[in-house]
Amino acid sequence: MLRYFARRVLTLALSLLAASWIIFLIVELVPGDPAAFMLGTGAQPETLAALRQELGLNRPLPLRYAHWLTSLLQGDFGDSFTYKTPISQMIIDRLQVSFPLAIMALVLASAIAFPAGLFAASRRGRSGDLAVMGATQLGVAVPNFWFAMLLVLLFAVRLRWFPAGGFPGWSDPFGAIRSLLLPALALALPQSAILARILRSALIEAQQQDYIRTARAKGLSAGQTLRRHALRNAMVSVLTIMGLQFSFLLAGAIIIENVFFLPGLGRLIFQAINQRDLIVVQSSVLVLVIAVMTVTFLVDLAYAAIDPRLRK
Amino acid sequence: MRGGLVIGAALTSAVAGAAVLSFIWTPADITQLSIAARLQPPSPEFWLGTDHFGRDILSMIMLGARVSLAVALVAVGIGMGLGVPLGLLAAARQGGWIDDAVMRLNDLIFAFPSLVIAILITAVLGPSAVNAIIAIGIFNIPVFARVTRGAALPVWTLDYIRAARVSGKGAALISMQHILPNIANLLIVQGTIQFSMGILAEAGLSYVGLGAQPPTPSWGRMLAESQTMVAMAPHVAIIPGLCIVLTVLGLNLLGDGLRDRLDPRLRGQP
């Protein structure tokens, strides 16, 4: 286990390093140079020269990357070009929306997927199974931002049960959760369809094992063996998928946050794109990538802890 | 599930047909704006109603299908064109440093949240359909490389491949003549799946303004523009969304159906 752990940590570190390098290089691809891009076409040559100096663009590329990376490691993301405030603080503020949103979406996705998957597996091949599987086909095909718009139309515009957008802040916990509920549901739907399908196949596979036959021979009903034995064994693969889905939800929130005008990391990225604030874009994307890679890493570790066959 | 294959093929051909038809005919000219006829619900004159500029939504949908399908198709082409040779190369050199390098590179791209990087790429390069294709296509490469390698490895152990090697054929020739035809089915199925994911990705990118630019219609941007009018004229928001759902659903059913059809072992299973 220790060797596996050490190898995974090394892989994570190398991946993060490569990720930072790739993100740094993508931003270098902007037409002209970052300073010209940020100031637009009407910029005075003096302003341009000053910003170039500030961004260190006069120095060679590898040196700039090294400087960027060492500042990042010290927690210094630089200052926003538009707001003149430290980016690290902006990102921390925004994560207080994006992170709870992803968690709520995952909880909702499981709340939908588990009953649906268990139901389908218990009625394999019959009409109930076909209905659930048909619904999941539809769920996978629905773009979450469109589902979000439909939710707003029904629950915010027509029924007025939830706000159509905005976020009151965590000082009002009830209001905060209320305004995150529709976005979380929109994010959760396609993921719950995927999760239900995976749970169903994992359950069906587990049900074909010998220990299920033994349990049935002992007198347990089909439903009892499904819930007590098959579900527990199916959980190994289902938990892995859930971990991966969490990182997917975190990244997927980018678009949903824009539908609901939530002040999360995704909205920050788009605002920064519109304001051509490349430094904020670069740092926010990097933080998101770090979060996603770290979650994937933790899932791998948890998986290896549960299933020793994977530690080879 | 024979029904799935038929429904999938029907939906996919309907969308593709509409896109092709739009090159020679659309019900109305979408460059003609008519504020008097704005936000009309579906009627005999405008089958799917009109948008906030009074443009015929059916015509917009047909032109939008062209963009959606083209972006997703070319992105699959990029993925297959680069991913399949990489996968074949990795399989031919199994365990060697090339295999290792290809697979590590794959892992790295896989680890990236694709949507985030696609957004970063299109934001930096400037929003356009071409840059959307690049952003989506890059993430198709490792998918095809992995599927190709995984499918090719067992084929390499077969007797007739050994016979081919003994007869003096090189790895490249064997890959092209024997391995590729063997795994083509699998690649077609994967292509269909990536195609449907590409449609969703394109819709997402153009929804946030990073896809095809006006005046080219695209489903994602039609949805974005409808957002402020959704309470007044729900059909403006519902129709483009339904088109995305039906296209993706059709491709998914087609992919599942093809997989069951092409893989005899899966026949008869639900």
Side-chain angles (χ1 to χ4, degrees), chain B:
Chain B
M1 290 275 279
R2 287 246 354 225
L5 181 61
V6 175
I7 298 171
L11 282 173
T12 309
S13 354
V15 177
V20 172
L21 183 63
S22 76
F23 280 101
I24 48 172
W25 177 80
T26 54
D29 181 3
I30 64 146
T31 56
Q32 290 293 320
L33 309 185
S34 161
I35 299 301
R38 63 197 289 261
L39 297 177
Q40 284 187 5
S43 65
E45 191 189 353
F46 301 108
W47 288 3
L48 297 180
T50 57
D51 72 353
H52 56 300
F53 289 128
R55 291 175 294 188
D56 177 42
I57 291 183
L58 178 59
S59 309
M60 301 268 293
I61 291 286
M62 287 170 69
L63 292 166
R66 213 150 88 178
V67 178
S68 275
L69 294 183
V71 168
L73 196 64
V74 179
V76 170
I78 292 176
M80 274 196 179
L82 293 170
V84 172
L86 278 176
L88 286 174
L89 182 70
R93 297 270 178 274
Q94 189 197 358
W97 69 267
I98 293 182
D99 184 20
D100 248 15
V102 169
M103 293 324 285
R104 289 296 82 74
L105 195 66
N106 265 342
D107 289 344
L108 183 67
I109 302 182
F110 257 127
F112 269 96
S114 50
L115 182 71
V116 182
I117 301 303
I119 285 171
L120 180 64
I121 292 174
T122 40
V124 164
L125 294 181
S128 75
V130 174
N131 291 337
I133 290 173
I134 296 173
I136 300 169
I138 287 176
F139 289 95
N140 280 335
I141 300 172
V143 175
F144 282 103
R146 187 167 287 202
V147 168
T148 305
R149 177 180 179 272
L153 284 178
V155 182
W156 270 102
T157 62
L158 298 178
D159 283 342
Y160 69 87
I161 300 289
R162 256 186 239 154
R165 296 183 90 160
V166 172
S167 74
K169 282 186 182 169
L173 202 60
I174 292 178
S175 291
M176 291 308 293
Q177 284 187 342
H178 301 296
I179 310 274
L180 197 55
N182 256 298
I183 63 171
N185 285 349
L186 207 68
L187 294 178
I188 292 169
V189 171
Q190 193 65 43
T192 320
I193 295 167
Q194 296 311 117
F195 194 5
S196 86
M197 291 174 73
I199 301 268
L200 276 178
E202 192 274 337
L205 283 178
S206 61
Y207 173 78
V208 293
L210 296 175
Q213 292 300 296
T216 313
S218 78
W219 294 348
R221 211 182 49 258
M222 286 172 78
L223 282 177
E225 287 172 356
S226 75
Q227 205 168 347
T228 49
M229 295 164 282
V230 68
M232 287 182 286
H235 71 278
V236 183
I238 289 172
I239 292 164
L242 270 184
C243 289
I244 300 172
V245 172
L246 290 177
T247 310
V248 174
L249 185 67
L251 283 165
N252 283 343
L253 289 175
L254 186 66
D256 284 358
L258 282 176
R259 189 192 54 213
D260 296 351
R261 199 74 192 279
L262 298 173
D263 187 346
R265 280 165 301 178
L266 289 170
R267 241 174 241 168
Q269 282 186 16

Side-chain angles (χ1 to χ4, degrees), chain A residues 220-236:
Chain A
L220 262 66
S221 74
Q224 281 171 321
T225 54
L226 188 70
R227 283 187 300 273
R228 287 193 202 164
H229 296 286
L231 182 60
R232 213 179 262 197
N233 281 281
M235 280 311 281
V236 178

Side-chain angles (χ1 to χ4, degrees), chain A:
Chain A
M1 187 67 195
L2 200 66
R3 264 193 68 185
Y4 176 83
F5 181 74
R7 224 182 49 217
R8 288 293 299 132
V9 170
L10 186 69
T11 317
L12 175 71
L14 287 177
S15 305
L16 289 176
L17 199 65
S20 73
W21 192 57
I22 291 170
I23 291 170
F24 183 81
L25 282 184
I26 291 178
V27 171
E28 289 293 317
L29 285 176
V30 301
D33 69 30
F37 180 84
M38 285 163 72
L39 290 172
T41 42
Q44 297 293 325
E46 301 84 51
T47 338
L48 197 63
L51 182 63
R52 243 184 221 135
Q53 183 65 39
E54 193 190 321
L55 294 177
L57 291 181
N58 301 325
R59 287 177 299 166
L61 188 85
L63 212 63
R64 254 187 299 146
Y65 172 68
H67 178 74
W68 182 62
L69 196 65
T70 44
S71 317
L72 282 181
L73 288 175
Q74 292 158 6
D76 175 16
F77 286 73
D79 286 346
S80 157
F81 176 66
T82 325
Y83 301 109
K84 309 285 176 212
T85 47
I87 295 172
S88 49
Q89 190 56 45
M90 291 169 81
I91 290 177
I92 290 172
D93 289 346
R94 301 304 185 105
L95 278 176
Q96 290 171 11
V97 176
S98 299
F99 215 68
L101 178 62
I103 291 176
M104 267 174 81
L106 192 64
V107 171
L108 283 174
S110 333
I112 302 169
F114 275 86
L118 275 165
F119 176 79
S122 69
R123 286 183 180 49
R124 184 185 177 194
R126 286 191 273 162
S127 53
D129 181 20
L130 289 178
V132 172
M133 284 302 100
T136 58
Q137 276 284 7
L138 207 59
V140 178
V142 172
N144 55 17
F145 56 89
W146 181 60
F147 185 56
M149 287 169 64
L150 297 184
L151 287 175
V152 169
L153 183 62
L154 180 64
F155 291 108
V157 178
R158 291 279 148 90
L159 298 172
R160 298 180 186 278
W161 289 356
F162 295 98
F167 186 71
W170 284 107
S171 53
D172 171 14
F174 181 70
I177 288 178
R178 222 167 78 103
S179 54
L180 287 184
L181 205 59
L182 285 188
L185 192 60
L187 270 173
L189 179 87
Q191 300 304 317
S192 67
I194 297 172
L195 197 58
R197 291 178 84 96
I198 287 165
L199 180 63
R200 174 186 173 273
S201 10
L203 282 173
I204 287 176
E205 202 187 315
Q207 271 177 309
Q208 288 161 349
Q209 303 297 317
D210 287 341
Y211 58 81
I212 296 288
R213 207 172 20 180
T214 310
R216 290 278 282 153
K218 271 173 32 189
L220 262 66
S221 74
Q224 281 171 321
T225 54
L226 188 70
R227 283 187 300 273
R228 287 193 202 164
H229 296 286
L231 182 60
R232 213 179 262 197
N233 281 281
M235 280 311 281
V236 178
S237 52
V238 171
L239 279 177
T240 323
I241 300 294
M242 284 175 68
L244 295 177
Q245 281 188 321
F246 181 72
S247 50
F248 198 83
L249 290 168
L250 208 53
I254 290 194
I255 290 182
I256 290 295
E257 283 171 8
N258 280 282
V259 180
F260 290 92
F261 305 103
L262 293 175
L265 199 57
R267 191 145 176 78
L268 178 66
I269 291 177
F270 277 104
Q271 284 168 338
I273 285 175
N274 288 333
Q275 289 152 346
R276 302 181 156 231
D277 197 337
L278 278 181
I279 315 170
V280 173
V281 177
Q282 198 173 34
S283 316
S284 322
V285 168
L286 184 68
V287 167
L288 211 50
V289 171
I290 291 174
V292 167
M293 285 185 167
T294 311
V295 172
T296 315
F297 163 75
L298 292 175
V299 170
D300 274 1
L301 280 193
Y303 201 16
I306 300 172
D307 192 340
R309 281 169 298 183
L310 288 157
R311 288 178 214 159
K312 62 179 167 70

